[in-house]
Amino acid sequence: RGLGDVYKRQVSALVINFVNSLDELTDDHYQIDVNQEDAEIDVVFTEELSKEGSLLLRSLILGLTSVEEEHGQYLDVIFKEV
């Protein structure tokens, strides 16, 4: 396994923790689509986020951008607001 695999696992852990936290700590509704082949994870919120959900999302963004800043040669974090 190369260094890129280490950072993929870091990103996976951050996203899994985010989704688990949404489930356990909020009543927010979302849809998730995982494409393992392309290493893409899409989370779509089906209604406005609660204050708690918004804070969790900000925390996820902070974690992902930190990993990208340190190891950008191995990953590209893209956020889309639709």
Side-chain angles (χ1 to χ4, degrees):
R1 293 184 182 220
L3 287 175
D5 291 333
V6 172
Y7 309 117
K8 286 179 188 176
R9 288 194 301 272
Q10 287 179 336
V11 169
S12 292
L14 287 168
V15 172
I16 290 167
N17 184 65
F18 169 69
V19 171
N20 288 341
S21 295
L22 276 179
D23 285 343
E24 292 293 321
L25 303 173
T26 76
D27 292 324
D28 293 337
H29 299 280
Y30 61 91
Q31 297 174 342
I32 189 165
D33 182 34
V34 177
N35 181 335
Q36 292 183 352
E37 185 175 307
D38 294 331
E40 291 181 3
I41 301 169
D42 293 324
V43 180
V44 177
F45 299 100
T46 56
E47 58 188 44
E48 189 171 335
L49 283 175
S50 65
K51 287 172 70 173
E52 296 83 0
S54 181
L55 181 61
L56 291 169
L57 179 59
R58 288 173 39 209
S59 178
L60 172 66
I61 291 169
L62 178 64
L64 291 174
T65 53
S66 293
V67 173
E68 182 182 36
E69 285 173 7
E70 291 181 32
H71 312 290
Q73 69 270 28
Y74 297 107
L75 62 105
D76 190 22
V77 179
I78 301 169
F79 297 98
K80 292 187 236 179
E81 187 172 332
V82 293

